Amino acid sequence: MTNFTTLTRTRIQLAMRNKMFFFFSVVFPLGMFFLYAGIFARGNPRVVSYFLGPVIAFNVMGSFWGLSAALVMFREQGILRRFHVTPVTATDMLASSLLANFVLTVPTVCVELFLA
Amino acid sequence: MANPILQVENLVKRYGEVEAVRGVSFSVEEGEVFGLLGPNGAGKTTTVEILEGLRTLDSGQVSVCGLDPQRESVALKHEIGAALQSTSLPDKLRVIEALRLFASFYKRGRKPEELLKRFGLEEKRHTFYHQLSGGQKQRLALAMALINDPQVLFFDEPTAGLDPQVRREIYDIIEELKREKKTIVMTTHYIEEAERLCDRVAIIDHGKVIAFGTPRELKAHSGGTTRIEVRLSKPESNGRLKSLEGVVDARELDGAYVLHSQRPPQTIVSLVKQLEAQGNDLVSLEIATPSLEDVFIEMTGRRLRD
């Protein structure tokens, strides 16, 4: 297996263990979704579809904002340095973070689309 | 030099205006434990990080396992293992996962299981990284450095911030690696560590190598004298202390007087007599066998640990 795939898998695993992550990437976006769809739109399908775009955009943006915060934390704690003395390249590291993030965001977005 | 595996020539590194490393040169033979000893901020970590390919250099030449750490960085990283200073792992990573993850980065290597056993981490295999004690974290760091069975190991301050008992545990591990003829480059600001573990030592201060050799050679260089440190109730002149029996050197250091003597008993007797004659009192007296600390004091007029 390449460095990229093992790193991606580990990043996903780590994210799932993190309660804060779970809350902000699953519970919170879904909460926002119900807030907009149920209360502001009062279940009216046309208004729901109007709100759907912004809610999903908000979800995806939030998740990338979280990613940058995680990478900064990795750097501050010297975790990136440790990876840097292995054959793992900075590209591997960034690409795996992006993919892991993508994989983790997609299910929430799908659930939102399904519910809508 | 028979077979240097690592060579550094006239290495210079600047951070803005500050020259952190100012022309350091040394070479390391295969199978030896080489120590960089010096106070904090002397340039040890910078030097090691350049060798690991973590930092760029401003001038000079460096070769590790015949590779250039800057241009052949990925190839080099397959050949080296490192335990960095103040490094860490993600909190929620388990011990065994960390070893497996890092093992997956290399073409060849040792089995994670074997390293767990060797570093006494078998019982902790499923523990999260953030739940490990300082000593366990450091043992894991050393185990991870060995995962690719590297040609050269870099340990940057391997025992910094650990309590004495844990420190001895780490010494035992490094001594075992030494018996296996591993090539190790380590930095430290502990004299004891350098004397106990290193075959050869470069003493570094302000980015320069100020002394170089085996611990024994370095100590012999300071004349094989005994250090006597005294505190007195009233000031005394260095000149008068120097004229005491057996004293070859006397200097003032942080309010104490440091005498180097070839005949300690005679020196103490004559010191006490002289103080009595002047109505001065001895507040404290300390005798230390020659150590690398004396070499450092002699060269810089300062203590190693400030």
Side-chain angles (χ1 to χ4, degrees), chain B residues 85-131:
Chain B
Q85 194 179 359
S86 69
T87 178
S88 163
L89 287 172
D91 283 350
K92 297 280 182 186
L93 197 61
R94 298 180 200 274
V95 170
I96 184 72
E97 289 169 351
L99 288 169
R100 288 208 181 114
L101 176 65
F102 279 79
S104 76
F105 300 153
Y106 300 97
K107 284 172 260 170
R108 63 188 153 86
R110 302 205 185 185
K111 296 209 163 56
E113 297 296 329
E114 175 199 325
L115 290 171
L116 278 184
K117 191 180 282 179
R118 171 165 187 181
F119 288 88
L121 292 165
E122 274 174 306
E123 287 172 16
K124 297 282 167 192
R125 66 168 60 220
H126 294 303
T127 307
F128 286 135
Y129 181 75
H130 72 114
Q131 287 167 332

Side-chain angles (χ1 to χ4, degrees), chain A residues 17 77-79 81 84 87, chain B residues 49 77 87-88 92 97 106:
Chain A
R17 282 183 196 156
Q77 294 182 349
I79 295 172
R81 294 186 84 64
H84 204 163
Chain B
E49 288 184 343
K77 281 159 185 172
T87 178
S88 163
K92 297 280 182 186
E97 289 169 351
Y106 300 97

Side-chain angles (χ1 to χ4, degrees), chain A residues 10-29:
Chain A
T10 307
R11 288 300 299 273
I12 294 174
Q13 226 172 22
L14 287 174
M16 302 293 270
R17 282 183 196 156
N18 189 331
K19 289 189 193 83
M20 282 283 279
F21 171 85
F22 183 78
F23 179 76
F24 279 106
S25 69
V26 181
V27 180
F28 191 66

